[in-house]
Amino acid sequence: MILGIDVGGTHTDSVLMQDRKIIRKSKVLTDKNDILGCVMRATQAVVTPDDIRKLKRIVLSTTISTNAVAQNQLEPVGLIVMNGPGVSPRDLPLFDQAHFIAGYMNHRGIEAEAIDEEELAALKQQFGNDKIDNLAIIGKFSTRNPVHEQEVSAFFADQATHVSLGHHQSGVLNFPRRIATTYLNSAIWRLHSRMIAQLESYLHELGADVPLFILKADGGTIGVKQSRLFPVQTILSGPAATIMGVLPFVSKNGDSVSIDIGGTTTDIALFADGAPLLEPKGVEIEGHKTLIRGLLTHSMALGGDSHVQVVDGKLQVGPERKGAAMAFDGPVPTPTDALIVLGRASIGDKAKALRAMEGLAAELKQTPQQVAQAVIDTMCASIAAKVQQMIAEVNSKPVYTIHELLEGKTLNPQQLIAVGGPAPYVADQIGELLVMPAVVPENSDVINATGAATARTTVELNILADTESQELTFAEDGKKVRISSRTTVDDVVDIGRERLIEIARAAGAQDEDVEVEVADCQSFNVIHGYSTTGKNIRVRLQIKPGLIKHEPSNTAQV
């Protein structure tokens, strides 16, 4: 059995699954001030004491990290940056919060400027005075040689409670994005760690001694021990859960679009020949451009509980959510009330929903039914327009899926998959506006929880090999191995594949779900004088994202 839990902005959904089928499901209201309580209630709603002994896997998709960034509830971070020459500090992200220090590696990982320990000592005293014990340390070319980051970290070891190092976050070269990613990793570290500790304590009390995973932005899972080191990877896991949930229903022989209509927002995703699209450089959240590998989604502030009001004589739907629909004793009219008045949804108190529309009708001098229809028409038109806008934006640049770059691809979706509470009542209308058939999968109201429950564990590994120096470096942890001057690209891929499989197993992946892909591969000649003296080989490998093939058969700790 597998337990999947998705903590959404409005509801926390849970599913108990066996053999990829839902045994029980539940929805409880999300209390943003008590995420642990939401998880506890969602678990108790679907799991019996007897089920606990049969559990093989628990996966959680949570908004806690995303909300912390969106609401700027971030912990103070001692941000230390070694930028070297060639870029002005003012052109780098978080310039006003960063401490720029000496120390520089060149593009080949050779030290060009040493660290100044007197400078570090002064900074250490400043952090002590300011009671800052959470650090982020980033060097420009640390993915080529992390020694400076490691030396600075060691200098603060007796004072810092936590340190995030830039080269650990991603092996991809992009200094500004690495700064933002490392900063966010530290800024949410304590919040994330506290949540994980509470969850582990709760599961221990339940007697559920099984692996606990967190969903990442790329639609894969990460074991809780690893997530404590890389909490930033769990940002935007909610939209990723939707994509993994709808994946079994996506046509493999064409392009598709999915919409997840929640109470607060609607999330849109695109699929090319059955594969979800990927943010090629990394996701962006609240202006922070990161190196976090993530699925491409667009979110709009429009959902079933959006506030409907008359503004300057015109109907306005959203963007705020004031609470539940008036049919469920909420404070203001919503699209859910409109659906009830139109007879599309047989839920809630119809008399209260009617009163919600009557208030708007009086202002617009229309009947409640006319206003209700206008509310739904506005909602559906807004969602359809956003979908069309997203398709146009994607087609204006190269198309990347979670598997590959599709050269010359023009996305032309022919299928709409709609999920979320309001989906069954508006899917056909949105499909008509987009001129494509709409599909509402079974159990679409808890699709995020099923997506989380069945997602694979995914990891990435970046490798740099220099045959002149006969050295190979694993960018994410800085580990080095000796290689031959005759090492080829294929040799590097083979070395990386073996290492990636080890990392994936440590992260909780089952062997049958470990499918290694070469995501990127480049080879450059190293020229000294007028002759080639070696090769610079760069390889990026990943575990192919997707859904688990079978339920786990063991309870290894992750």
Side-chain angles (χ1 to χ4, degrees):
M1 286 183 175
I2 298 174
L3 174 63
I5 302 173
D6 174 65
V7 183
T10 305
H11 291 97
T12 295
D13 302 337
S14 58
V15 292
L16 182 66
M17 303 185 70
Q18 187 168 27
D19 298 328
R20 305 184 72 86
K21 295 180 180 179
I22 295 177
I23 300 173
R24 283 185 290 276
K25 64 179 182 178
S26 171
K27 297 179 79 72
V28 300
L29 288 174
T30 295
D31 181 350
K32 296 178 181 179
N33 297 316
D34 185 18
I35 298 298
L36 178 62
C38 298
V39 173
M40 291 171 60
R41 290 189 294 275
T43 300
Q44 292 164 357
V46 297
V47 176
T48 68
D50 185 58
D51 295 329
I52 290 173
R53 293 191 295 271
K54 301 175 183 177
L55 282 177
K56 301 295 184 182
R57 186 179 197 246
I58 301 173
V59 187
L60 175 69
S61 167
T62 173
T63 60
I64 187 169
S65 297
T66 305
N67 289 343
V69 180
Q71 297 167 14
N72 198 29
Q73 296 175 342
L74 301 173
E75 183 177 344
V77 173
L79 180 58
I80 303 174
V81 179
M82 293 167 277
N83 62 308
V87 58
S88 169
R90 292 184 178 276
D91 294 331
L92 294 172
L94 300 160
F95 159 76
D96 56 339
Q97 298 184 45
H99 300 271
F100 295 90
I101 66 171
Y104 176 64
M105 295 288 180
N106 69 16
H107 69 284
R108 292 191 66 190
I110 300 171
E111 184 179 67
E113 181 184 43
I115 290 172
D116 184 340
E117 290 203 2
E118 290 185 4
E119 188 178 34
L120 289 181
L123 193 55
K124 188 174 186 178
Q125 183 175 354
Q126 179 181 338
F127 287 163
N129 293 337
D130 294 339
K131 294 182 169 49
I132 294 176
D133 64 348
N134 191 1
L135 308 184
I137 303 169
I138 309 100
K140 183 190 293 184
F141 289 111
S142 61
T143 56
R144 300 292 169 80
N145 187 341
V147 168
H148 280 169
E149 288 186 355
Q150 293 166 343
E151 289 178 352
V152 175
S153 177
F155 193 90
F156 286 89
D158 61 341
Q159 180 173 301
T161 300
H162 170 78
V163 177
S164 294
L165 300 182
H167 72 280
H168 284 166
Q169 307 307 316
S170 172
V172 178
L173 277 179
N174 190 313
F175 187 42
R177 284 181 178 263
R178 184 175 295 103
I179 292 173
T181 306
T182 312
Y183 163 76
L184 289 177
N185 197 68
S186 283
I188 64 173
W189 169 79
R190 206 180 307 269
L191 176 69
H192 180 85
S193 295
R194 188 182 304 122
M195 179 194 71
I196 295 302
Q198 291 173 340
L199 285 172
E200 290 181 320
S201 177
Y202 168 61
L203 294 176
H204 179 71
E205 291 176 9
L206 281 180
D209 185 20
V210 296
L212 173 62
F213 295 86
I214 307 291
L215 195 71
K216 300 187 298 177
D218 68 353
T221 66
I222 183 172
V224 290
K225 288 183 180 178
Q226 282 71 30
S227 79
R228 286 182 185 225
L229 300 175
F230 307 108
V232 72
Q233 296 292 337
T234 68
I235 285 175
L236 298 177
S237 69
T242 301
I243 293 173
M244 303 315 292
V246 304
L247 200 54
F249 306 96
V250 174
S251 171
K252 303 298 185 292
N253 300 315
D255 305 333
S256 306
V257 57
S258 72
I259 55 174
D260 178 13
I261 311 173
T264 307
T265 61
T266 294
D267 294 321
I268 305 166
L270 298 172
F271 301 79
D273 298 323
L277 267 58
L278 187 75
E279 288 277 14
K281 294 182 179 179
V283 302
E284 180 175 349
I285 179 169
E286 298 300 317
H288 296 285
K289 295 181 178 180
T290 76
L291 286 171
I292 303 165
R293 175 183 168 85
L295 302 177
L296 177 63
T297 62
H298 281 196
S299 182
M300 59 188 301
L302 181 62
D305 293 338
S306 292
H307 181 195
V308 179
Q309 58 187 320
V310 177
V311 178
D312 296 330
K314 295 182 179 179
L315 202 62
Q316 178 178 300
V317 185
E320 293 181 305
R321 177 185 184 269
K322 299 288 189 179
M326 289 182 68
F328 293 94
D329 297 320
V332 296
T334 69
T336 298
D337 294 309
L339 289 169
I340 294 169
V341 168
L342 292 173
R344 295 195 190 183
S346 300
I347 55 177
D349 188 323
K350 187 169 185 178
K352 292 179 180 178
L354 184 59
R355 284 198 291 275
M357 293 299 105
E358 286 174 343
L360 298 170
E363 292 187 70
L364 295 171
K365 296 181 173 54
Q366 297 177 357
T367 68
Q369 286 72 22
Q370 288 174 324
V371 171
Q373 187 62 58
V375 169
I376 300 307
D377 289 346
T378 300
M379 179 183 187
C380 292
S382 297
I383 293 173
K386 188 68 174 180
V387 169
Q388 291 168 334
Q389 177 187 342
M390 184 176 177
I391 294 171
E393 290 176 357
V394 166
N395 283 333
S396 68
K397 50 193 176 184
V399 176
Y400 289 82
T401 72
I402 56 174
H403 300 156
E404 60 186 329
L405 163 64
L406 300 180
E407 296 282 0
K409 170 71 174 180
T410 298
L411 213 65
N412 183 27
Q414 298 295 313
Q415 177 194 38
L416 172 67
I417 303 171
V419 300
Y425 316 120
V426 298
D428 287 340
Q429 185 170 341
I430 297 172
E432 289 175 5
L433 293 170
L434 294 171
V435 196
M436 63 180 74
V439 176
V440 179
E442 185 180 4
N443 296 307
S444 69
D445 56 331
V446 292
I447 205 82
N448 286 26
T450 64
T454 56
R456 286 181 183 174
T457 297
T458 57
V459 289
E460 182 179 278
L461 183 64
N462 287 269
I463 308 157
L464 174 66
D466 188 334
T467 63
E468 182 185 31
S469 64
Q470 298 183 36
E471 191 171 67
L472 180 148
T473 304
F474 297 106
E476 280 76 8
D477 62 8
K479 182 179 179 181
K480 299 179 183 293
V481 297
R482 298 294 297 173
I483 57 174
S484 163
S485 60
R486 296 185 296 277
T487 298
T488 65
V489 170
D490 288 341
D491 294 332
V492 174
V493 170
D494 289 340
I495 294 170
R497 179 181 287 107
E498 183 176 342
R499 181 76 192 286
L500 184 63
I501 291 173
E502 291 177 2
I503 295 171
R505 286 171 176 164
Q510 299 290 307
D511 285 350
E512 61 188 4
D513 295 323
V514 176
E515 297 183 46
V516 178
E517 286 187 320
V518 179
D520 190 27
C521 185
Q522 302 177 56
S523 179
F524 306 92
N525 288 328
V526 177
I527 307 294
H528 282 167
Y530 295 96
S531 62
T532 300
T533 57
K535 288 186 178 295
N536 189 301
I537 302 170
R538 304 169 193 173
V539 172
R540 179 161 58 90
L541 303 176
Q542 68 177 20
I543 300 299
K544 182 178 179 180
L547 304 178
I548 58 174
K549 294 179 180 178
H550 304 287
E551 290 187 11
S553 57
N554 63 64
T555 56
Q557 293 298 311
V558 294

